[in-house]
Amino acid sequence: MNNFANNLKYYRELTSRTQREMAELLNMTVNAYQQYEYGKREPRLSVLIEISDILNVSLDELVKKIHS
């Protein structure tokens, strides 16, 4: 799994949100969101910014190797 996928799952769980909640907040299907957490897709920059706002973390925190 890549750094982004690991960090995304870590921060989502830290905020006690489900994958379904994240998908709804991002106006996408659960499957599309899961692709990010499973490392199969990476979001466009605009979506990445939305994710960082929702999770209240910086873009650096989402993409750097911090958590595994």
Side-chain angles (χ1 to χ4, degrees):
M1 212 182 294
N2 64 39
N3 295 337
F4 170 70
N6 285 329
N7 294 341
L8 178 60
K9 181 177 179 182
Y10 173 81
Y11 287 115
R12 175 183 59 80
E13 290 176 343
L14 196 64
T15 61
S16 301
R17 286 192 170 90
T18 65
Q19 289 180 339
R20 179 170 303 284
E21 289 170 329
M22 288 296 294
E24 289 172 0
L25 289 167
L26 295 164
N27 294 315
M28 63 178 58
T29 66
V30 174
N31 184 273
Y33 175 80
Q34 287 173 332
Q35 301 262 332
Y36 298 148
E37 278 199 18
Y38 300 155
K40 295 183 180 189
R41 285 181 55 202
E42 291 187 0
R44 295 182 321 268
L45 181 57
S46 60
V47 176
L48 192 58
I49 291 168
E50 265 189 274
I51 291 170
S52 73
D53 287 344
I54 291 166
L55 297 177
N56 198 32
V57 297
S58 71
L59 293 176
D60 281 349
E61 290 172 302
L62 278 178
V63 299
K64 284 186 178 179
K65 184 174 179 156
I66 302 171
H67 307 283
S68 49

